[in-house]
Amino acid sequence: MRILLPMPGNEALAADLARLGGHRLGRIETRRFPDGESYLRLLDDVAGLDVELVASLARPDADFLALIFAADAARDLGAASVGLIAPYLAYMRQDIRFKSGEAISSRSFARLLSSSFDRLLTIDPHLHRYPALDALYTMPAQALQAAPLLADWIAAEVTAPLLVGPDAESEQWVAAVAARAGAPHMVLQKVRHGDRNVAITMPDLSAWRGHQPVLVDDIASSGRTLIEAAQLLTGQGLPRPVCAVVHALFAEDAYAQLQAAASRIVSCDTVQHPSNAIPVASLLAAALR
C-alpha cells in the first residue's frame, strides 16, 4: 500500500494525488526549535508501506534538511520503500564547471537525493547537458512532460495562437506543444550574458499580426527572456502576449515586470504561484499507477 506524505506547502497537490490514485494521505508535523533547528514528526504509521514524500523543490536551501529528515524517519520507522515526488526539481542548471573551482551542484544534489530515496518522479527537469536523469541520479528517476497540458490549455483558451519559443534549444519542445495545440510556432535567438542579462533577436513578424502570440517556456526564473520577448512582440505591432510556463519561479520582481508586458501569465502548479492555472496532479497520478 502507498501513503503520500506532503512536506509543508505541498498539501493540496498531495491531496489531489491521493484522491485520483486511491492512496492514503498522511501528515507531517514540522516546526523550528528556538535555536533554528528543525523538528519533524510523521503523524501516521508507515511500517510496511511504500512512502511517497511530495515536495516541490523550488526553495531547496530552505526545505532540503527537513525533506531528508522525513525520508530518514520513514525508513527508520519501517517503511517498505521511500520515494520522492518533486514536481519541480532544483539544482539542474549547474551541470558543468564554467570557472575553476566551481561546484557542479547538479551532481552533488543528485548524490544527496539518491542516497536518501529509492525513486524519483519529477516534471520537465532542466536537462541541458545531461541526456536523461539516469545520467545523473543513481536511483530510478522518471521525468514527465507537461507539454501536452500546456498545449491543451492553449487550444482551449487562446484564439488563433502563434507559439513563440525563447531560443533555438526550445525548438523541439515548442514544436511538440504547437503540434498538439494545432498552432504555428517560431523560436527566437537568445544570447545570455549573465543571470539577468539576455539579448534577443526576433525576425519580422508582420505576417502574423492576425494571431495571438503565446510565449512558452519550461522555467521562468529571472523572467528576463520572457519580458524582453514580450516587449519585442508588441514593438512589432502584435498583441500583448500570453505567457505559459511549466515552472513559475519568478525571482524578485520578475512576475510584476512580466505582468506589465503580457496580457496573461499562466503556469503549471509544479511550484505554488498566483499564476497557477494548469494542474499537474493527473499527470503525476497516471505515472504512480
Side-chain angles (χ1 to χ4, degrees), residues 15 26 42 53 69 144 156 180 206 215 220 265 271 277 281:
L42 307 188
L53 288 168
F69 291 162
L144 307 176
R180 184 176 174 108
S206 56
L215 285 165
I265 305 169
V271 177

Side-chain angles (χ1 to χ4, degrees), residues 23-36:
H23 309 301
R24 283 181 56 186
L25 179 64
R27 295 173 299 149
I28 296 178
E29 178 186 351
T30 61
R31 58 182 172 85
R32 294 282 185 183
F33 288 108
D35 61 2

Side-chain angles (χ1 to χ4, degrees), residues 71-167:
D72 194 53
R75 203 176 300 280
D76 193 45
L77 291 167
S81 66
V82 183
L84 172 61
I85 300 173
Y88 174 72
L89 183 62
Y91 282 114
M92 290 296 295
R93 293 190 174 192
Q94 183 85 38
D95 52 11
I96 194 173
R97 186 169 287 119
F98 298 97
K99 298 178 182 178
S100 175
E102 285 184 339
I104 304 179
S105 53
S106 58
R107 295 182 189 171
S108 301
F109 196 66
R111 280 194 292 268
L112 290 168
L113 285 182
S114 295
S115 67
S116 294
F117 292 94
D118 298 309
R119 59 191 168 272
L120 167 66
L121 183 62
T122 188
I123 296 175
D124 284 315
H126 189 73
L127 293 171
H128 182 34
R129 293 177 180 86
Y130 299 115
L133 284 175
D134 60 11
L136 187 60
Y137 284 83
T138 57
M139 61 178 163
Q142 183 178 4
L144 307 176
Q145 285 74 48
L149 301 180
L150 287 181
D152 292 348
W153 185 91
I154 293 167
E157 299 291 336
V158 182
T159 302
L162 167 66
L163 273 63
V164 181
D167 52 40

Side-chain angles (χ1 to χ4, degrees), residues 258-284:
L258 186 57
Q259 282 182 306
S263 62
R264 185 174 181 184
I265 305 169
V266 298
S267 65
C268 297
D269 59 354
T270 57
V271 177
Q272 282 193 330
H273 192 268
S275 64
N276 289 163
I278 305 172
V280 298
S282 61
L283 182 66
L284 293 166

